[in-house]
Amino acid sequence: MFAMQIDTEPGSNPSFLQTSGKVYTKLKGETVELECKVQNLGENLVVWKQEDRVIFAGTIQVRKDRRMSLTGEKNFPRTNLRIENLKSVDAGNYTCEVEWPGSPLQTTNYLQILEGPIITEPKEGLHVQVNEGQEVTVKCKSTGNPTPRMDWRRLQVKGAEMKIEKKGERVLKLLKVKQSDTGEYQCQAINKISSDSVTIYIHVNFGPTVHVPYPSVHSGPGGTTVLECHVRGFPQPTVSWYWISSGQKHLVTPDHNHIIASGQPAEDREEGYWSYHILTLKSLSFLELSNFTCLASNELGTASENIQILGTPSKSQILSEAVGRFANYYILKFSIQSYSPILQIQIKYRLNESNSGDVWTTRYFNQGHRQGQWPVVQDSNHRKFTFPLHHLLSGSQYIVQIKSMNAYGWSPHGDDFLFRTNSGLSLLGRNLAAVLLELCVSLFLQLFLLTALY
């Protein structure tokens, strides 16, 4: 072993040029040079240590790390410690010690390594599944110097602005989670150097719900009938169809006459919560004029809704205009959906005025009635009818209700329809005016001819 030395004055003792150690602050990956300038070193040794671990003893490198070397300045030996490509583990106290016959001389420098945050937990893209009503806890851990501030944020739907959920907290804790808690959550670590983030996805499992857009459907034997139900739940529920016959519940199995289809709305394919299910009965049997059940189930429960297939006519749909052409009568046009022939029609109407009371005029029509236009051939499911309403007041508003009957019974009342009679001359008044006008024209022509002759 040989010593680093410079010219010294005879009898002088070694000493440090700096009076005390320094604090060095560097970014991770940079290079630092820790000073240890010694005068009158002579044949004595300089030893570098990180905490208790020896790095150099004189010029001999004890710690085998190629990033570390000794450097020096003009007229001084190579006693400064140079460290390249700094790492987190390089942070700490570095002691420069002079070994000589007297008491050891030493000075300590502190190296601080600054680095941006790196989140170590949770992993990017973590999926957490939790049942509705339970609690979910997710810890967020990171490295970095200075110590990063931790924020939990919830990402709104499809790239919308982020909303801070848990600011300055390392733990995301949701109590009694709801379906609305499903979504993306982001842990963000920030210090003055940089930032890092990790996004996770929390899925809240919930039992199924069933919705039927049409709780009752009008059809008839031989008719094609479509039943539909909408199901929501996660995990995605399985769906079965049942029908009731003679008080017994029967599972609907797919065949050429019973077609079962399902799918997801395009806007919900990514989330996977909603699904629609359609049962098509190609040729309805008499026994299938009954209740059908859409039953959905997943590991959290079951739900169902009923759809009733009715052979009775549907509610009427008014085709007439809201304002009639005549003053004292109104031509009422409407359509009815029925798979069986219409046997009778009930029409109720009254003035729509507060002082008119609740006095209805009720009239019944059937195919043999002398008034009204009855479809001659009733082979269409949508049947159109025309009936006149007489002895009405001119310029008045009326309210009308219609229901119809076939072999399976009466339909429900159609929606109330409001119409107004014309406020012009009545039919009798129009005829009288026409006669008077004709007389006036005739008299005028006779006077004109007499004047021309004389």
Side-chain angles (χ1 to χ4, degrees), residues 347-367:
I347 300 176
K348 294 173 61 177
Y349 59 96
R350 66 172 174 83
L351 280 169
N352 187 35
E353 296 177 358
S354 58
N355 59 356
S356 65
D358 194 24
V359 179
W360 292 85
T361 298
T362 304
R363 302 178 65 187
Y364 290 91
F365 301 90
N366 54 39
Q367 191 167 5

Side-chain angles (χ1 to χ4, degrees), residues 262-274:
S262 62
Q264 284 184 295
E267 63 273 13
D268 190 59
R269 285 176 184 165
E270 183 177 344
E271 303 295 344
Y273 298 146
W274 281 102

Side-chain angles (χ1 to χ4, degrees), residues 164-181:
I164 294 179
E165 291 280 335
K166 300 287 185 181
K167 186 174 181 180
E169 295 188 17
R170 294 176 177 268
V171 179
L172 174 66
K173 192 169 187 178
L174 303 177
L175 304 176
K176 295 182 179 180
V177 294
K178 306 179 293 296
Q179 297 176 28
S180 58
D181 291 322

Side-chain angles (χ1 to χ4, degrees), residues 3 70 116 121 127 174 221 226-227 230 256 275 317 368 412 436-437 451:
L70 294 175
E121 186 182 331
H127 272 65
L174 303 177
V226 178
L227 309 181
H230 300 167
H256 70 281
S275 57
Q317 301 293 322
L436 291 174
L437 178 61
T451 304

Side-chain angles (χ1 to χ4, degrees), residues 19-39:
T19 58
S20 61
K22 294 183 178 180
V23 176
Y24 295 83
T25 300
K26 292 290 182 178
L27 291 174
K28 185 178 179 180
E30 290 186 337
T31 298
V32 69
E33 187 170 314
L34 307 179
E35 290 186 358
C36 182
K37 294 181 181 179
V38 183
Q39 60 183 356

